[in-house]
Amino acid sequence: MTQAVAEHYQAFKQRGLKLDMSRGKPAPEQLDLSDALMGPLASYAADDGTDCRNYGLGVGLPEARALFGALLGVPPAQVVVDSSASLSLMHDVIVYALLNGVPGGTPWVTQQPVSFLCPVPGYDRHFSICEARGIKMISVPLGEDGPDMDLVERLVAADASIKGMWCVPKYSNPSGAVYADAVIARLAQMPTAAPDFRLMWDDAYRFHHLGDNKTEIADVLAACAAAGNPDRAIVFASTSKVSWAGSGIAALAASPANIAWWTKHAGVRSIGPDKINQLRHVRYLKDPATVAALMEGHRSLLAPKFDAVQQQFAELLGDVPGVSWTRPAGGYFIDLVTPPGAAKRTIALAKEAGITLTPAGAAYPYGVDPEDSHIRIAPSYPSLSEIALAAQGIALSLKLALAT
Ligand SMILES: Cc1ncc(COP(=O)(O)O)c(C=O)c1O
């Protein structure tokens, strides 16, 4: 048996594959869907007459705020549209909170230690922000319908150093978890020892369905407002995986007090965002229906790749004890769960066979998966034929890791 697995793996290695699946990048065909963005702009004037070639409008173009407002279900006045990366907005919210404090609060840096709850497995770049800015991370388990709320409620009620929590509420990275409405209600209502507690609500995959069932989740800002905690959540989104990753537009939605706070601090950082790109995007993306149609184009390219991974894993790993993987209804990732102690070795074997995966442990704070059992699979970038092969190589690597 071990011999057969080793031979199978060696034969696979001979193919000399060279694939980078370490990040969830859109494939070139997905980027091609939005090439119309580069068409000439009929004019440079925004609806309010602003010349978009010039400085100004730190909160974004009125029509860009209206578009994101419609997409996020929030009044435009509660939306700020900035430049391309929502991750930069998350980073800046944390830096402003550390240095200045959130509305009504004192600077977090004066209240050391500062801790964040981190549902795991989670998004490595969230954890990098915390690590780089000196925020202690506390892991909480993430299930299919959200974080372990009994634990979350207990921790935030008891510990005033817990100032925030990362949440990717829909099609989370990497497991595809979707927060249940009851979980969102509890997050909105829960008493927190820290009066200046914030939910960092990263809605990165709000429009990114893979199946026919287009999941909708509860509106966190409305839930927080109804619970008497209107300033608790800050919502982040971008068009990185709608139009172009790195050249899209990003938005932050929050209570009026949080928007005023953001605007004050962001106004020190910049004289205004790239409004030409905002104008280009608004004229191209137009409205939620146009965005939904574009996302269908993405889905038709992405879903077959996810299906190919599912098929290979079912065929090669379906009967391997202790191995499971997620079947996300949207988003960009599959979480392959191995028996304890096998993820690092599998990733190393896959690398030898020409497949670069996200480093083991990346989905955990400080890069340490205590069980060494999670492998993030990012099927988006390789071609359909490559992805089936890559999934086969990953499965063979795992089988060999378990056999030797
Ligand atoms: C959960 C999550 N948030 C944010 C991002 C990055 O978003 P942006 O390109 O808007 O910075 C990603 C990219 O993979 C992601 O998975």
Side-chain angles (χ1 to χ4, degrees), residues 32 93 104 275 364:
D32 291 346
V93 161
K275 292 179 296 301
Y364 281 76

Side-chain angles (χ1 to χ4, degrees), residues 20 23 87 107 134 169 171 202 308:
D20 187 348
R23 308 268 9 143
L87 199 66
Y171 308 143
D202 181 356

Side-chain angles (χ1 to χ4, degrees), residues 7 37 57 62 68 76 90 135 147 159 220 283 289 320 325 368 375:
E7 280 171 10
L37 274 172
L57 279 182
F68 264 110
M90 298 174 218
I135 295 174
D159 184 352
V220 72
R283 289 183 183 168
V320 180
W325 58 93
V368 180
I375 299 175

Side-chain angles (χ1 to χ4, degrees), residues 9-43:
Y9 170 82
Q10 286 306 334
F12 183 88
K13 209 168 140 182
Q14 296 311 316
R15 289 173 175 269
L17 211 63
K18 204 166 168 14
L19 276 182
D20 187 348
M21 291 174 64
S22 58
R23 308 268 9 143
K25 291 202 307 191
E29 314 81 74
Q30 290 180 261
L31 303 175
D32 291 346
L33 293 174
S34 293
D35 275 353
L37 274 172
M38 287 306 278
L41 281 169
S43 74

Side-chain angles (χ1 to χ4, degrees), residues 53-73:
R53 297 170 298 183
N54 222 326
Y55 280 138
L57 279 182
V59 287
L61 288 186
E63 51 266 63
R65 300 174 81 189
L67 174 62
F68 264 110
L71 289 168
L72 299 173

Side-chain angles (χ1 to χ4, degrees), residues 164-184:
M165 176 172 172
W166 290 110
C167 298
V168 184
K170 191 154 146 188
Y171 308 143
S172 89
N173 174 354
S175 73
V178 178
Y179 285 26
D181 290 355
V183 167
I184 296 173

Side-chain angles (χ1 to χ4, degrees), residues 23-24 84-88 90 123 126 168 173 202 204-205 237-241 245-246 250 333 376:
R23 308 268 9 143
S84 63
S86 61
L87 199 66
S88 308
M90 298 174 218
Y123 178 39
H126 290 163
V168 184
N173 174 354
D202 181 356
Y205 298 108
S238 79
T239 67
S240 285
K241 286 160 188 138
F333 303 99
R376 186 175 81 164

